Amino acid sequence: EIVLTQSPGTLSLSPGERATLSCRASQSLSSSYLAWYQQKPGQAPRLLIYGASSRATGIPDRFSGSGSGTDFTLTISRLEPEDFAVFYCHCYSSSLTFGGGTKVEMK
Amino acid sequence: EVQLVESGGGLVQPGGSLRLSCAASGFSFINYWMHWVRQAPGKGLVWVSRINSDGSSTNYADSVKGRFTISRDNAKNTLYLQMNSLRVEDTAVYYCARQGEVWGSYRYTFDYWGQGTLVTVSS
């Protein structure tokens, strides 16, 4: 079973700053299986990134994903007020694991 | 427009049962694998169960195996989750989620989610 560890747990940043979120897998996985989701309070998650680096339809280009093997990164180049949320990485492995999440909060 | 609407949540005592439903519209339900994902209050997302497009194959998280049953009625465009022997730790918002099209770019993702239904297990 693949375990996904996200860091940091919380990121305190100001609008306009760059956010870098990490997702580390306990074993190597295919980039095709790695996705990122955003969840705002009281809302369902929303697909942001699929295949580790491809933006889903309608996702602004300030969001980007990268990585391979066991280390993956979600970057938000310049935070907008609406970007503050919790972000989860997910692996479509046999256990369909989610990471524990990173909360991006306004400083 | 793709819509997933969950229902059936509520308060139930430990050891009790509940059946959740997820009504799908705006897409060809029969062509998609479907999932249940849950989120305990203040906690992260946890995958619960999966069913393939014709209902012939199902998978479960270890934490619910033997207690929960996923099923679907393609004629009614509806996904179900039968939950038996409920425990306090099953308390969560339960989301139904559509897996991306089998041969599409989103095939390893949950591309649409419902708004969730809250299940509270408490005496």
Coordinates of all heavy atoms in Angstrom, one line a residue, chain A residues 3-89:
Chain A
V3 N 1.7 5.0 0.7 CA 1.4 6.1 1.7 C 1.9 7.4 1.1 O 3.0 7.5 0.7 CB 2.0 5.8 3.1 CG1 1.7 7.0 4.0 CG2 1.4 4.5 3.6
L4 N 1.0 8.4 1.1 CA 1.4 9.7 0.7 C 1.5 10.7 1.9 O 0.6 10.8 2.7 CB 0.3 10.3 -0.3 CG 0.1 9.5 -1.6 CD1 -1.0 10.1 -2.4 CD2 1.4 9.4 -2.4
T5 N 2.7 11.3 2.0 CA 2.9 12.2 3.0 C 3.0 13.6 2.5 O 3.9 13.9 1.7 CB 4.2 11.9 3.8 OG1 4.1 10.5 4.3 CG2 4.4 12.8 5.0
Q6 N 2.2 14.5 2.9 CA 2.2 15.9 2.4 C 2.9 16.8 3.5 O 2.7 16.7 4.7 CB 0.8 16.4 2.2 CG 0.1 15.7 1.0 CD -1.2 16.4 0.6 OE1 -2.2 15.7 0.6 NE2 -1.2 17.6 0.2
S7 N 3.6 17.8 3.0 CA 4.2 18.8 3.8 C 4.3 20.1 3.1 O 4.3 20.2 1.9 CB 5.6 18.3 4.2 OG 6.5 18.2 3.1
P8 N 4.3 21.2 3.9 CA 4.0 21.2 5.3 C 2.5 21.0 5.6 O 1.7 20.9 4.7 CB 4.4 22.6 5.7 CG 4.1 23.4 4.5 CD 4.4 22.6 3.3
G9 N 2.2 20.8 6.9 CA 0.8 20.7 7.2 C 0.0 22.0 7.0 O -1.1 21.9 6.5
T10 N 0.6 23.1 7.3 CA 0.0 24.4 7.1 C 1.1 25.3 6.5 O 2.2 25.3 6.9 CB -0.5 25.0 8.4 OG1 -1.4 24.1 9.0 CG2 -1.2 26.3 8.2
L11 N 0.6 26.1 5.6 CA 1.5 27.1 4.9 C 0.8 28.5 5.1 O -0.4 28.7 4.7 CB 1.6 26.8 3.4 CG 2.8 27.1 2.6 CD1 4.1 26.9 3.3 CD2 2.7 26.4 1.3
S12 N 1.4 29.4 5.8 CA 0.9 30.7 6.0 C 1.5 31.7 5.1 O 2.7 32.0 5.2 CB 1.1 31.2 7.5 OG 0.4 30.3 8.3
L13 N 0.8 32.2 4.1 CA 1.3 33.1 3.1 C 0.3 34.3 2.8 O -0.8 34.2 3.2 CB 1.5 32.3 1.8 CG 2.6 31.2 1.8 CD1 2.5 30.3 0.6 CD2 4.0 31.8 2.0
S14 N 0.9 35.2 2.1 CA 0.0 36.4 1.8 C -0.3 36.3 0.3 O 0.4 35.7 -0.5 CB 0.8 37.7 2.0 OG 1.2 37.8 3.4
P15 N -1.4 37.0 -0.1 CA -1.8 37.0 -1.5 C -0.6 37.6 -2.3 O 0.1 38.5 -1.9 CB -3.0 38.0 -1.6 CG -3.6 37.8 -0.2 CD -2.5 37.6 0.7
G16 N -0.4 37.0 -3.5 CA 0.7 37.4 -4.3 C 2.0 36.6 -4.1 O 2.9 36.6 -5.0
E17 N 2.1 35.9 -3.0 CA 3.2 35.0 -2.7 C 3.1 33.7 -3.5 O 2.1 33.3 -3.9 CB 3.4 34.8 -1.2 CG 3.9 36.1 -0.5 CD 4.3 35.7 0.9 OE1 3.5 35.3 1.7 OE2 5.5 36.0 1.2
R18 N 4.2 33.0 -3.5 CA 4.3 31.7 -4.2 C 4.2 30.6 -3.1 O 4.7 30.7 -2.0 CB 5.7 31.6 -4.8 CG 6.0 30.3 -5.6 CD 7.4 30.3 -6.0 NE 7.8 29.2 -6.9 CZ 7.6 29.2 -8.2 NH1 7.2 30.3 -8.8 NH2 8.0 28.2 -9.0
A19 N 3.4 29.6 -3.4 CA 3.2 28.5 -2.5 C 3.7 27.2 -3.2 O 3.5 26.9 -4.3 CB 1.7 28.3 -2.3
T20 N 4.5 26.5 -2.4 CA 5.1 25.2 -2.8 C 4.7 24.1 -1.8 O 5.0 24.1 -0.7 CB 6.6 25.3 -2.9 OG1 7.0 26.4 -3.7 CG2 7.2 24.0 -3.4
L21 N 3.9 23.2 -2.4 CA 3.4 22.1 -1.5 C 4.0 20.8 -2.0 O 4.1 20.5 -3.2 CB 1.9 22.0 -1.7 CG 1.0 23.0 -1.1 CD1 1.2 24.4 -1.7 CD2 -0.5 22.6 -1.2
S22 N 4.4 19.9 -1.0 CA 5.1 18.7 -1.3 C 4.2 17.5 -1.0 O 3.4 17.5 -0.1 CB 6.3 18.6 -0.5 OG 6.9 17.3 -0.6
C23 N 4.4 16.4 -1.8 CA 3.7 15.2 -1.7 C 4.7 14.1 -1.9 O 5.2 14.0 -3.0 CB 2.5 15.1 -2.6 SG 1.6 13.5 -2.6
R24 N 5.0 13.3 -0.9 CA 6.0 12.3 -1.0 C 5.4 10.9 -0.9 O 4.6 10.7 0.1 CB 7.1 12.5 0.1 CG 8.2 11.4 0.0 CD 9.4 11.9 0.7 NE 10.1 13.0 0.0 CZ 11.1 13.6 0.4 NH1 11.7 13.3 1.6 NH2 11.7 14.6 -0.3
A25 N 5.7 10.0 -1.8 CA 5.1 8.7 -1.8 C 6.1 7.7 -1.1 O 7.3 7.8 -1.2 CB 4.8 8.2 -3.2
S26 N 5.5 6.7 -0.4 CA 6.3 5.7 0.2 C 7.0 4.7 -0.7 O 8.0 4.0 -0.3 CB 5.5 4.9 1.2 OG 4.4 4.2 0.5
Q27 N 6.6 4.7 -1.9 CA 7.2 3.9 -3.0 C 7.0 4.6 -4.3 O 6.0 5.4 -4.5 CB 6.8 2.4 -3.0 CG 5.3 2.3 -3.1 CD 4.9 0.8 -3.0 OE1 5.0 0.0 -3.9 NE2 4.4 0.4 -1.8
S28 N 7.8 4.3 -5.3 CA 7.7 4.9 -6.6 C 6.4 4.6 -7.2 O 5.9 3.5 -7.2 CB 8.8 4.5 -7.5 OG 8.8 5.2 -8.7
L29 N 5.8 5.7 -7.8 CA 4.5 5.5 -8.5 C 4.6 6.2 -9.9 O 5.4 7.1 -10.1 CB 3.4 6.0 -7.7 CG 3.3 7.5 -7.3 CD1 2.5 8.2 -8.3 CD2 2.7 7.6 -5.9
S30 N 3.7 5.7 -10.8 CA 3.6 6.3 -12.1 C 3.0 7.7 -12.0 O 2.0 7.9 -11.3 CB 2.8 5.4 -13.0 OG 2.4 6.1 -14.2
S31 N 3.6 8.6 -12.7 CA 3.1 10.0 -12.7 C 1.7 10.1 -13.1 O 0.9 11.0 -12.7 CB 4.0 10.9 -13.5 OG 5.3 11.0 -13.0
S32 N 1.3 9.1 -14.0 CA -0.1 9.1 -14.5 C -1.1 9.0 -13.3 O -2.3 9.4 -13.5 CB -0.3 7.9 -15.4 OG 0.5 8.0 -16.5
Y33 N -0.7 8.4 -12.2 CA -1.6 8.1 -11.1 C -1.7 9.2 -10.1 O -2.5 9.1 -9.2 CB -1.2 6.8 -10.4 CG -1.2 5.6 -11.2 CD1 -0.4 4.5 -10.8 CD2 -2.0 5.4 -12.3 CE1 -0.5 3.3 -11.6 CE2 -2.1 4.3 -13.1 CZ -1.3 3.2 -12.7 OH -1.3 2.0 -13.4
L34 N -1.0 10.3 -10.2 CA -0.9 11.3 -9.2 C -1.7 12.5 -9.6 O -1.6 13.1 -10.6 CB 0.6 11.7 -9.0 CG 1.0 12.5 -7.7 CD1 0.5 13.9 -7.7 CD2 0.5 11.7 -6.5
A35 N -2.6 12.9 -8.7 CA -3.5 14.0 -8.9 C -3.5 14.9 -7.6 O -3.2 14.5 -6.6 CB -5.0 13.5 -9.2
W36 N -3.9 16.1 -7.8 CA -4.1 17.1 -6.8 C -5.5 17.7 -6.8 O -6.1 17.9 -7.8 CB -3.1 18.3 -7.0 CG -1.7 18.0 -6.7 CD1 -0.8 17.6 -7.7 CD2 -0.9 18.1 -5.5 NE1 0.5 17.4 -7.1 CE2 0.4 17.7 -5.8 CE3 -1.3 18.5 -4.2 CZ2 1.4 17.7 -4.8 CZ3 -0.3 18.5 -3.2 CH2 1.1 18.1 -3.6
Y37 N -6.0 17.8 -5.6 CA -7.4 18.4 -5.4 C -7.3 19.6 -4.4 O -6.5 19.6 -3.5 CB -8.3 17.3 -4.8 CG -8.5 16.1 -5.7 CD1 -7.6 15.1 -5.7 CD2 -9.5 16.1 -6.6 CE1 -7.7 14.0 -6.6 CE2 -9.7 15.0 -7.5 CZ -8.8 14.0 -7.4 OH -8.9 12.9 -8.3
Q38 N -8.2 20.5 -4.6 CA -8.4 21.7 -3.7 C -9.7 21.5 -3.1 O -10.7 21.2 -3.7 CB -8.4 22.9 -4.6 CG -8.6 24.2 -3.8 CD -8.8 25.4 -4.7 OE1 -9.6 25.4 -5.6 NE2 -8.1 26.5 -4.4
Q39 N -9.8 21.8 -1.8 CA -11.0 21.8 -1.0 C -11.1 23.1 -0.2 O -10.3 23.3 0.7 CB -11.2 20.6 -0.2 CG -12.5 20.4 0.5 CD -12.7 19.2 1.4 OE1 -11.8 18.8 2.0 NE2 -13.9 18.7 1.4
K40 N -12.2 23.8 -0.4 CA -12.5 25.0 0.4 C -13.5 24.6 1.4 O -14.3 23.6 1.3 CB -13.1 26.1 -0.5 CG -12.1 26.5 -1.6 CD -12.6 27.6 -2.5 CE -11.6 28.0 -3.5 NZ -12.1 29.1 -4.4
P41 N -13.6 25.4 2.5 CA -14.5 25.0 3.6 C -15.9 24.8 3.2 O -16.5 25.7 2.5 CB -14.3 26.2 4.6 CG -13.0 26.7 4.3 CD -12.7 26.5 2.9
G42 N -16.5 23.7 3.6 CA -17.9 23.5 3.3 C -18.2 23.1 1.9 O -19.3 22.9 1.5
Q43 N -17.1 22.8 1.1 CA -17.3 22.4 -0.3 C -16.7 21.1 -0.6 O -15.8 20.6 0.2 CB -16.6 23.5 -1.2 CG -17.3 24.9 -1.2 CD -16.7 25.8 -2.2 OE1 -16.0 25.4 -3.2 NE2 -16.9 27.1 -2.0
A44 N -17.1 20.5 -1.7 CA -16.5 19.3 -2.1 C -15.1 19.6 -2.7 O -14.9 20.7 -3.2 CB -17.4 18.6 -3.2
P45 N -14.3 18.6 -2.8 CA -13.0 18.7 -3.4 C -13.2 19.0 -4.9 O -14.2 18.6 -5.5 CB -12.3 17.4 -3.2 CG -12.9 16.8 -2.0 CD -14.4 17.3 -2.1
R46 N -12.2 19.7 -5.5 CA -12.2 20.0 -6.9 C -10.8 19.5 -7.5 O -9.8 19.7 -6.9 CB -12.3 21.5 -7.1 CG -12.2 21.9 -8.6 CD -12.4 23.4 -8.7 NE -11.4 24.3 -8.2 CZ -11.0 25.4 -8.8 NH1 -11.7 25.8 -9.9 NH2 -10.1 26.2 -8.3
L47 N -10.9 18.8 -8.7 CA -9.7 18.4 -9.3 C -8.9 19.5 -9.9 O -9.5 20.4 -10.6 CB -10.1 17.4 -10.5 CG -9.0 16.9 -11.3 CD1 -8.0 16.0 -10.5 CD2 -9.5 16.1 -12.5
L48 N -7.6 19.6 -9.5 CA -6.8 20.7 -10.0 C -5.8 20.1 -11.1 O -5.7 20.7 -12.2 CB -5.9 21.2 -8.9 CG -6.5 22.1 -7.8 CD1 -5.4 22.5 -6.8 CD2 -7.1 23.3 -8.4
I49 N -5.1 19.1 -10.7 CA -4.0 18.6 -11.5 C -4.1 17.1 -11.7 O -4.4 16.4 -10.7 CB -2.6 18.8 -10.8 CG1 -2.4 20.3 -10.6 CG2 -1.5 18.2 -11.6 CD1 -2.1 21.1 -11.9
Y50 N -3.9 16.6 -12.9 CA -3.9 15.1 -13.1 C -2.6 14.7 -13.8 O -1.9 15.6 -14.4 CB -5.1 14.7 -13.9 CG -5.2 15.2 -15.3 CD1 -4.7 14.5 -16.4 CD2 -5.7 16.5 -15.6 CE1 -4.7 15.0 -17.7 CE2 -5.7 17.0 -16.9 CZ -5.2 16.3 -17.9 OH -5.3 16.8 -19.2
G51 N -2.3 13.5 -13.7 CA -1.0 13.0 -14.3 C 0.2 13.8 -13.8 O 1.2 14.0 -14.6
A52 N 0.1 14.2 -12.6 CA 1.2 14.9 -11.9 C 1.4 16.3 -12.4 O 1.9 17.2 -11.6 CB 2.5 14.1 -12.0
S53 N 1.1 16.6 -13.6 CA 1.6 18.0 -14.1 C 0.6 18.6 -15.1 O 0.8 19.7 -15.6 CB 2.9 17.8 -14.9 OG 2.8 16.9 -15.9
S54 N -0.6 18.0 -15.4 CA -1.5 18.6 -16.3 C -2.7 19.2 -15.6 O -3.2 18.6 -14.6 CB -2.1 17.5 -17.2 OG -1.1 16.9 -18.0
R55 N -3.0 20.4 -16.0 CA -4.1 21.2 -15.3 C -5.4 20.6 -15.8 O -5.6 20.4 -17.0 CB -4.0 22.7 -15.6 CG -3.0 23.4 -14.7 CD -3.1 24.9 -14.9 NE -2.8 25.2 -16.3 CZ -1.5 25.3 -16.7 NH1 -0.5 25.2 -15.9 NH2 -1.3 25.6 -18.0
A56 N -6.4 20.5 -14.9 CA -7.7 20.1 -15.3 C -8.4 21.3 -16.0 O -7.9 22.4 -15.9 CB -8.5 19.7 -14.1
T57 N -9.5 21.0 -16.7 CA -10.2 22.1 -17.4 C -10.6 23.2 -16.5 O -11.2 23.0 -15.4 CB -11.5 21.4 -18.0 OG1 -11.1 20.4 -18.9 CG2 -12.2 22.5 -18.8
G58 N -10.3 24.4 -16.9 CA -10.7 25.6 -16.2 C -9.8 26.0 -15.0 O -10.1 27.0 -14.4
I59 N -8.7 25.3 -14.8 CA -7.8 25.6 -13.7 C -6.8 26.7 -14.2 O -6.2 26.5 -15.2 CB -7.1 24.4 -13.2 CG1 -8.1 23.3 -12.7 CG2 -6.1 24.7 -12.1 CD1 -9.0 23.8 -11.6
P60 N -6.7 27.8 -13.5 CA -5.8 28.8 -13.9 C -4.3 28.4 -14.0 O -3.9 27.5 -13.3 CB -5.9 29.9 -12.8 CG -7.2 29.6 -12.1 CD -7.4 28.1 -12.2
D61 N -3.6 29.0 -14.9 CA -2.2 28.6 -15.1 C -1.2 29.0 -14.0 O -0.1 28.6 -14.1 CB -1.7 29.1 -16.5 CG -1.7 30.6 -16.6 OD1 -1.9 31.3 -15.6 OD2 -1.4 31.0 -17.7
R62 N -1.7 29.6 -13.0 CA -0.9 29.9 -11.8 C -0.7 28.6 -11.0 O 0.2 28.5 -10.2 CB -1.4 31.0 -10.9 CG -2.8 30.7 -10.3 CD -3.2 31.9 -9.4 NE -4.5 31.7 -8.8 CZ -5.7 32.0 -9.4 NH1 -5.7 32.5 -10.6 NH2 -6.8 31.7 -8.7
F63 N -1.5 27.6 -11.3 CA -1.4 26.3 -10.6 C -0.5 25.4 -11.5 O -0.8 25.2 -12.7 CB -2.7 25.6 -10.4 CG -3.6 26.3 -9.4 CD1 -4.5 27.2 -9.7 CD2 -3.4 25.9 -8.0 CE1 -5.3 27.8 -8.7 CE2 -4.2 26.5 -7.0 CZ -5.2 27.5 -7.4
S64 N 0.5 24.8 -11.0 CA 1.3 23.8 -11.7 C 1.8 22.7 -10.9 O 1.9 22.8 -9.7 CB 2.5 24.5 -12.3 OG 3.4 25.0 -11.3
G65 N 1.9 21.5 -11.5 CA 2.3 20.3 -10.8 C 3.6 19.8 -11.5 O 3.8 19.9 -12.7
S66 N 4.4 19.2 -10.6 CA 5.6 18.6 -11.2 C 6.0 17.4 -10.3 O 5.4 17.1 -9.3 CB 6.8 19.6 -11.2 OG 7.0 20.0 -9.9
G67 N 7.0 16.7 -10.8 CA 7.6 15.6 -10.0 C 7.5 14.2 -10.7 O 6.8 14.1 -11.7
S68 N 8.1 13.3 -10.1 CA 8.1 11.9 -10.6 C 8.6 11.0 -9.5 O 9.2 11.4 -8.5 CB 9.0 11.8 -11.8 OG 10.3 12.0 -11.5
G69 N 8.4 9.7 -9.7 CA 8.9 8.7 -8.7 C 8.2 8.8 -7.4 O 7.1 8.3 -7.3
T70 N 8.8 9.3 -6.4 CA 8.3 9.4 -5.1 C 8.0 10.9 -4.6 O 7.4 11.1 -3.6 CB 9.2 8.8 -4.0 OG1 10.4 9.4 -4.0 CG2 9.3 7.3 -4.3
D71 N 8.5 11.9 -5.4 CA 8.4 13.3 -5.0 C 7.6 14.1 -6.0 O 8.0 14.2 -7.1 CB 9.8 13.8 -4.8 CG 10.5 13.2 -3.5 OD1 9.9 13.4 -2.4 OD2 11.5 12.6 -3.7
F72 N 6.6 14.7 -5.5 CA 5.7 15.5 -6.3 C 5.4 16.9 -5.7 O 5.5 17.0 -4.4 CB 4.4 14.8 -6.6 CG 4.6 13.5 -7.3 CD1 4.8 12.3 -6.6 CD2 4.5 13.4 -8.7 CE1 5.0 11.1 -7.2 CE2 4.7 12.2 -9.3 CZ 5.0 11.0 -8.6
T73 N 5.2 17.9 -6.5 CA 5.1 19.2 -6.0 C 3.9 19.9 -6.7 O 3.7 19.8 -7.9 CB 6.3 20.0 -6.2 OG1 7.4 19.4 -5.6 CG2 6.2 21.5 -5.7
L74 N 3.1 20.6 -5.9 CA 2.1 21.5 -6.4 C 2.6 23.0 -6.1 O 2.9 23.3 -5.0 CB 0.7 21.3 -5.8 CG -0.4 22.3 -6.2 CD1 -0.8 22.1 -7.6 CD2 -1.6 22.1 -5.2
T75 N 2.6 23.8 -7.2 CA 3.1 25.2 -7.0 C 2.0 26.1 -7.4 O 1.3 25.9 -8.5 CB 4.3 25.5 -7.8 OG1 5.4 24.6 -7.5 CG2 4.8 26.9 -7.7
I76 N 1.7 27.1 -6.6 CA 0.8 28.2 -7.0 C 1.7 29.4 -7.1 O 2.3 29.9 -6.1 CB -0.3 28.4 -5.9 CG1 -0.9 27.1 -5.5 CG2 -1.3 29.4 -6.4 CD1 -1.9 27.2 -4.3
S77 N 1.8 29.9 -8.3 CA 2.9 30.9 -8.6 C 2.6 32.2 -7.8 O 3.5 32.8 -7.3 CB 3.0 31.2 -10.1 OG 1.7 31.6 -10.6
R78 N 1.4 32.7 -7.9 CA 1.0 33.9 -7.1 C -0.4 33.7 -6.5 O -1.3 33.6 -7.3 CB 1.0 35.1 -8.1 CG 2.3 35.6 -8.6 CD 2.2 36.8 -9.5 NE 1.5 37.9 -8.9 CZ 2.0 38.9 -8.2 NH1 3.3 38.8 -7.9 NH2 1.3 39.8 -7.7
L79 N -0.4 33.7 -5.2 CA -1.7 33.3 -4.6 C -2.7 34.4 -4.7 O -2.4 35.6 -4.5 CB -1.4 33.1 -3.1 CG -0.8 31.8 -2.7 CD1 -0.3 31.8 -1.3 CD2 -1.9 30.7 -2.8
E80 N -3.9 34.0 -5.1 CA -5.1 34.9 -5.2 C -5.9 34.6 -3.9 O -5.8 33.5 -3.4 CB -5.9 34.6 -6.5 CG -5.1 34.9 -7.8 CD -5.0 36.4 -8.0 OE1 -5.7 37.2 -7.4 OE2 -4.1 36.7 -8.8
P81 N -6.7 35.6 -3.5 CA -7.5 35.3 -2.3 C -8.4 34.1 -2.4 O -8.6 33.4 -1.3 CB -8.4 36.6 -2.3 CG -7.6 37.6 -3.0 CD -6.9 36.9 -4.1
E82 N -8.8 33.7 -3.5 CA -9.7 32.5 -3.7 C -8.9 31.2 -3.6 O -9.5 30.1 -3.6 CB -10.5 32.6 -4.9 CG -9.7 32.5 -6.2 CD -9.4 33.9 -6.7 OE1 -9.3 34.9 -5.9 OE2 -9.2 34.1 -8.0
D83 N -7.6 31.3 -3.6 CA -6.8 30.0 -3.6 C -6.6 29.5 -2.2 O -6.1 28.3 -2.0 CB -5.4 30.3 -4.2 CG -5.5 30.7 -5.6 OD1 -6.5 30.4 -6.3 OD2 -4.5 31.4 -6.1
F84 N -6.9 30.2 -1.1 CA -6.6 29.7 0.2 C -7.6 28.6 0.5 O -8.8 28.8 0.5 CB -6.7 30.9 1.2 CG -5.6 31.8 1.0 CD1 -5.7 32.9 0.2 CD2 -4.4 31.7 1.7 CE1 -4.6 33.8 0.0 CE2 -3.3 32.5 1.5 CZ -3.5 33.6 0.7
A85 N -7.0 27.4 0.8 CA -7.8 26.2 0.9 C -6.9 25.1 1.4 O -5.8 25.3 1.8 CB -8.4 25.9 -0.5
V86 N -7.5 23.9 1.4 CA -6.7 22.7 1.7 C -6.5 21.9 0.4 O -7.4 21.8 -0.4 CB -7.4 21.8 2.8 CG1 -6.6 20.5 3.1 CG2 -7.7 22.5 4.1
F87 N -5.3 21.4 0.3 CA -4.9 20.7 -1.0 C -4.5 19.3 -0.6 O -3.7 19.1 0.3 CB -3.7 21.5 -1.7 CG -4.1 22.9 -2.1 CD1 -4.1 23.9 -1.3 CD2 -4.6 23.0 -3.4 CE1 -4.5 25.2 -1.7 CE2 -4.9 24.3 -3.9 CZ -4.9 25.4 -3.0
Y88 N -5.0 18.4 -1.4 CA -4.7 17.0 -1.2 C -4.1 16.4 -2.5 O -4.5 16.6 -3.6 CB -6.0 16.2 -0.9 CG -6.7 16.6 0.3 CD1 -7.7 17.5 0.3 CD2 -6.3 16.0 1.6 CE1 -8.4 17.8 1.5 CE2 -7.0 16.3 2.7 CZ -8.0 17.2 2.7 OH -8.7 17.6 3.9
C89 N -3.0 15.6 -2.3 CA -2.6 14.8 -3.4 C -3.2 13.4 -3.3 O -3.7 13.0 -2.2 CB -1.0 14.6 -3.4 SG -0.3 13.9 -1.9

